[in-house]
């Protein structure tokens, strides 16, 4: 008997998995043709455009397997689940296509749960039927949004839903609940089939079409899973524990965003998964850890129902709740020290700049990337621009401190440390940078060129570590005061030669790129700049921003420039006088 049961539900899961596995490539082609592509941005964690129609494959897998294997006395309930699941998928598809907004989505979710409740799938905790229906709708809408919020990283929503479905499947098989076990098997197979394409790095996203369908299916499983021989005082904990990861993440996000005065329903990179990545875990280790936590909570739910007494069950539930509150507070305290709106692309960026205006550019770069190299060049007293008579200068100690604070992992702590230091230190630029690299925790490093030899007309010579860094970088950003550090660095023949050879964008951020290019050319610096960012009222072949002093805007444009280069593998020709003259 047991072997037949295992065979039946394994077959359902296999069929659902095959449907999802075969249908997902078809949705990829359809998404590209319909231009349903999720593009990267400041509030998203992926760094390349991904088709977002995979939810249709999940719908086909779950609904198709249920229609094939469903039936019997639960036909009415099965029909209501199919209708409600289809409706919520349509709501998600419309939202993926045109955007319904939070009220439109909640209305669609409520309607879908009402149809399911009317079809007989509802809680039975109260004598009044309307109260049961209200609680059913409230539970369903909550779970749908929790799973929807959980879809924030490659493979996370599909993987945690698969583990939760496995927990529901085991509990349902033990209880002999055919409908619940069949639905859990279909969900498990659909998630695993889609996860082949959604695991990091994902080639397909499920979108709201899939995440809301997963949510409503898990909500129905939580409602339908019953334990006749166990009191309600214990069994109500089971679905909450099984879905503990998305529930915790939802509470964390809502509390965090309310604290910061932001709408909780808007996208962001402040979820549990994002915070674990920022604490040092890799993408795959993060989602694997959350899979394991979901599995542990599923085991706890089985212990509460089948092994523990009512008192032990409440002790376990209370301990889990307290642990959740402690973890939530810890993640919030750690998050308070992290700069908001990080794109955190896993790329290497090299920056060359000077002057106070360069601080905004440097902040934009730290928003964009995790690895930042700042190149500095020492200048001797008699170096100057022959045409203008303006002196080239190196970065002073006070400015260097400001730059270091910008690229520090913990800016506030570094500021306090540097402010306590003596400002009259007479060390050279290279010695100061070496000390800061060794003593402070930076998002990269400060690289300094070598001081020129006696009698040499140049202010410095390029160091080996600077040239090596330029060869390995994926984006070069130049800006600020051209006479401070920029032209002294770019004028070095070795640096200029490596910059023109490197196959990555070299972006100039300047209030008037035309004047900046003329100035660079007058100093003999040509063929270095490939892109430029300027205010939107400065017309020319450059990318525009509304406010050049807004670091988040600059970061977004830099991110787009890097993505375009990464996607097309074609580097534009250096900007020259002929392009804008």
């Amino acid at each position: 008997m047991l072997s037949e049961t295992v065979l039946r539900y394994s077959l359902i899961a296999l069929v659902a998995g095959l449907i999802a596995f075969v249908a997902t490539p078809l949705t990829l082609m359809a998404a590209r043709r319909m231009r349903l592509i999720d593009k990267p941005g400041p509030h998203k964690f992926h760094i390349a455009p991904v088709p977002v129609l995979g939810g249709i494959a999940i719908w086909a897998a779950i609904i198709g397997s249920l229609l094939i294997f469903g039936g019997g006395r639960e036909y009415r309930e099965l029909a209501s689940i199919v209708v409600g699941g289809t409706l919520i998928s349509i709501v998600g598809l419309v939202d993926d296509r045109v955007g319904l907004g939070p009220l439109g989505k909640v209305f669609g979710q409520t309607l879908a749960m009402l149809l399911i409740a009317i079809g007989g799938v509802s809680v039975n905790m109260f004598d009044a039927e309307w109260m049961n229906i209200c609680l059913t709708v409230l539970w369903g809408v909550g779970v749908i949004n929790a799973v929807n919020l959980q879809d924030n990283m490659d493979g996370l929503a599909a993987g945690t839903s698969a583990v939760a479905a496995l927990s529901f499947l085991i509990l349902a098989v033990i209880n002999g609940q055919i409908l619940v076990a069949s639905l859990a098997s279909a969900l498990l197979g659909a998630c695993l089939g889609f996860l082949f394409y959604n695991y990091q790095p994902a080639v397909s996203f499920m979108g709201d079409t899939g995440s809301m369908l997963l949510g409503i299916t898990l909500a129905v499983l939580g409602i339908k899973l019953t334990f006749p021989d166990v009191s309600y005082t214990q069994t109500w904990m089971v679905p909450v524990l099984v879905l503990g990861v998305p529930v915790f993440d939802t509470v964390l996000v809502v509390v965090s965003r309310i604290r910061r005065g932001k709408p909780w329903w808007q996208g962001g990179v402040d979820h549990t998964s994002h915070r674990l990545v920022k604490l040092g875990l890799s993408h795959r280790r993060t989602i694997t850890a959350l899979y394991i936590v979901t599995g542990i909570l599923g085991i706890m739910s089985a212990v509460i129902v089948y092994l523990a007494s009512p008192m032990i069950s409440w002790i376990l539930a209370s301990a889990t709740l307290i642990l959740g509150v402690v973890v939530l507070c810890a993640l919030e305290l750690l998050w308070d020290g992290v700069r908001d709106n990080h794109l955190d692309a896993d790329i290497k960026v090299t920056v060359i700049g000077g002057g106070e205006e360069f601080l905004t550019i440097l902040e934009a770069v730290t928003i964009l990337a995790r690895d930042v190299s700042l190149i500095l060049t020492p200048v001797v007293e008699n170096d100057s621009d022959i045409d203008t008579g303006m002196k080239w200068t190196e970065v002073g100690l006070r400015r260097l401190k400001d730059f270091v604070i910008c690229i520090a992992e913990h800016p506030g702590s570094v500021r306090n440390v540097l402010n306590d230091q003596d400002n009259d230190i007479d060390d050279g630029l290279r010695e100061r940078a070496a000390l800061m690299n060794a003593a402070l925790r930076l998002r990269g490093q400060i690289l300094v060129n070598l001081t020129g030899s006696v009698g040499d007309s140049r202010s410095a010579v390029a160091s080996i570590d600077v040239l090596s860094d330029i060869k390995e970088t994926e984006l070069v950003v130049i800006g600020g005061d051209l006479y401070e550090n920029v032209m002294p660095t770019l004028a070095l023949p070795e640096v200029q030669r490596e910059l023109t050879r490197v196959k990555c964008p070299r972006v100039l951020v300047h209030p008037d790129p035309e004047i900046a290019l003329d100035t660079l050319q007058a100093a003999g610096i040509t063929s270095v700049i490939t892109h430029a960012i300027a205010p939107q009222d400065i017309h020319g072949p450059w990318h525009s921003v509304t406010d050049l002093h807004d670091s988040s805007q600059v970061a977004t444009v830099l991110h787009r420039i890097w993505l375009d280069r990464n996607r097309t593998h074609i580097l534009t020709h250096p900007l020259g006088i002929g392009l804008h003259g």
Side-chain angles (χ1 to χ4, degrees):
M1 183 66 179
L2 180 61
S3 60
E4 292 180 1
T5 302
V6 172
L7 179 62
R8 169 185 171 82
Y9 298 125
S10 298
L11 186 60
I12 295 175
L14 179 62
V15 170
L18 287 174
I19 293 174
F21 183 80
V22 173
T24 301
L26 301 178
T27 65
L28 284 172
M29 293 185 289
R32 292 191 180 101
R33 177 162 297 195
M34 298 170 61
R35 296 184 179 179
L36 279 172
I37 305 294
D38 191 359
K39 297 180 179 180
H43 300 292
K44 298 179 181 179
F45 208 66
H46 58 288
I47 61 174
V50 179
V52 69
L53 211 57
I56 293 181
I58 297 176
W59 171 85
I62 295 176
I63 303 301
S65 57
L66 286 180
L67 292 177
I68 293 172
F69 295 98
R73 59 187 179 86
E74 297 92 357
Y75 181 81
R76 180 188 172 191
E77 295 180 1
L78 177 62
S80 68
I81 294 171
V82 170
V83 172
T86 302
L87 175 60
I88 201 67
S89 296
I90 293 173
V91 172
L93 182 61
V94 173
D95 183 58
D96 288 332
R97 182 66 177 174
V98 298
L100 291 175
L103 293 179
K105 287 197 287 188
V106 169
F107 176 78
Q109 295 162 3
T110 302
L111 182 59
M113 285 305 303
L114 274 175
L115 291 175
I116 290 176
I118 293 172
V121 180
S122 65
V123 298
N124 295 298
M125 295 184 64
F126 307 105
D127 294 332
E129 185 64 21
W130 68 270
M131 293 182 67
N132 288 326
I133 291 178
C134 288
L135 182 57
T136 299
V137 172
L138 184 63
W139 162 258
V141 171
V143 173
I144 291 169
N145 284 291
V147 177
N148 190 19
L149 289 173
Q150 190 75 357
D151 186 27
N152 57 68
M153 187 175 283
D154 295 357
L156 182 55
T160 53
S161 296
V163 177
L166 179 61
S167 298
F168 281 127
L169 173 60
I170 295 173
L171 293 172
V173 168
I174 294 175
N175 278 351
Q177 293 183 268
I178 297 176
L179 177 61
V180 178
S182 299
L183 183 59
S185 299
L187 177 60
L188 174 61
C191 290
L192 293 179
F194 178 71
L195 196 58
F196 180 84
Y197 303 95
N198 187 238
Y199 195 74
Q200 200 270 339
V203 297
S204 178
F205 286 168
M206 66 179 69
D208 284 354
T209 309
S211 62
M212 291 204 291
L213 177 61
L214 294 183
I216 201 170
T217 307
L218 289 169
V220 168
L221 289 173
I223 293 170
K224 287 298 297 177
L225 185 65
T226 57
F227 305 91
D229 299 329
V230 183
S231 171
Y232 266 129
T233 58
Q234 289 177 252
T235 58
W236 72 268
M237 307 174 191
V238 172
V240 177
L241 278 174
V242 173
L243 301 176
V245 168
V247 169
F248 172 83
D249 186 61
T250 302
V251 174
L252 173 65
V253 168
V254 171
V255 170
S256 179
R257 293 180 185 174
I258 289 176
R259 283 183 64 232
R260 290 179 285 139
K262 295 188 175 183
W264 66 267
W265 58 85
Q266 290 184 356
V269 288
D270 55 353
H271 292 268
T272 307
S273 54
H274 301 147
R275 301 180 192 223
L276 292 177
V277 168
K278 288 183 181 293
L279 288 175
L281 290 181
S282 67
H283 185 128
R284 295 192 176 189
R285 287 182 178 177
T286 295
I287 59 176
T288 300
L290 293 176
Y291 294 170
I292 293 172
V293 172
T294 304
I296 292 173
L297 293 174
I299 294 172
M300 281 186 58
S301 65
V303 170
I304 285 176
V305 171
Y306 295 114
L307 299 178
S309 63
M311 184 180 70
I312 298 298
S313 299
W314 277 96
I315 291 175
L316 286 174
S318 300
T320 304
L321 178 62
I322 293 171
L323 178 61
V325 173
V326 171
V327 173
L328 187 149
C329 294
L331 290 176
E332 268 297 277
L333 289 174
L334 291 170
W335 192 251
D336 286 340
V338 178
R339 190 181 292 108
D340 197 14
N341 286 342
H342 272 223
L343 293 169
D344 257 349
D346 190 14
I347 63 175
K348 180 177 178 58
V349 180
T350 298
V351 291
I352 303 170
E356 186 176 354
E357 56 268 39
F358 183 63
L359 291 173
T360 299
I361 301 170
L362 193 56
E363 183 179 349
V365 172
T366 58
I367 291 175
L368 168 66
R370 303 178 189 178
D371 190 353
V372 181
S373 296
L374 172 61
I375 296 179
L376 304 177
T377 301
V379 177
V380 296
E381 289 295 329
N382 59 355
D383 281 327
S384 64
D385 187 315
I386 298 174
D387 293 334
T388 63
M390 295 187 67
K391 285 185 175 297
W392 294 359
T393 59
E394 68 179 40
V395 172
L397 177 58
R398 185 175 297 277
R399 190 92 72 208
L400 179 59
K401 288 183 177 181
D402 292 336
F403 290 172
V404 168
I405 291 169
C406 264
I407 64 174
E409 288 282 1
H410 304 287
S413 300
V414 171
R415 180 182 291 107
N416 291 335
V417 170
L418 294 179
N419 286 342
D420 290 339
Q421 302 302 312
D422 185 3
N423 288 336
D424 297 326
I425 298 175
D426 197 27
D427 293 335
L429 184 61
R430 191 173 179 82
E431 289 74 18
R432 297 172 191 164
L435 177 62
M436 292 176 176
N437 284 330
L440 304 175
R441 186 174 178 181
L442 307 179
R443 295 171 63 89
Q445 57 185 333
I446 304 170
L447 303 175
V448 183
N449 287 308
L450 302 172
T451 303
S453 59
V454 178
D456 195 338
S457 61
R458 296 193 303 272
S459 63
V461 292
S463 62
I464 295 177
D465 52 354
V466 166
L467 298 179
S468 299
D469 181 84
I470 294 175
K471 289 178 182 179
E472 298 172 358
T473 194
E474 297 175 74
L475 179 67
V476 178
V477 182
I478 301 166
D481 184 353
L482 299 181
Y483 292 94
E484 182 176 292
N485 190 56
V486 176
M487 287 198 289
T489 301
L490 298 182
L492 300 179
E494 303 93 333
V495 171
Q496 194 171 158
R497 183 173 60 251
E498 289 301 331
L499 285 174
T500 55
R501 287 177 177 177
V502 69
K503 304 299 183 182
C504 74
R506 285 103 58 185
V507 186
L508 173 68
V509 183
H510 198 273
D512 194 332
E514 184 171 356
I515 294 177
L517 288 172
D518 289 341
T519 304
L520 292 176
Q521 188 185 49
I525 302 167
T526 58
S527 302
V528 172
I529 307 300
T530 61
H531 300 73
I533 300 176
Q536 60 184 6
D537 57 341
I538 304 296
H539 302 291
W542 17 80
H543 300 263
S544 62
V545 293
T546 305
D547 183 4
L548 201 62
H549 299 289
D550 187 335
S551 57
S552 62
Q553 291 186 35
V554 176
T556 302
V557 176
L558 288 172
H559 188 247
R560 185 165 64 245
I561 291 172
W562 174 77
L563 278 177
D564 290 340
R565 160 72 182 109
N566 189 55
R567 182 168 59 248
T568 61
H569 299 286
I570 297 173
L571 188 62
T572 58
H573 294 294
L575 291 175
I577 301 301
L579 274 176
H580 57 82

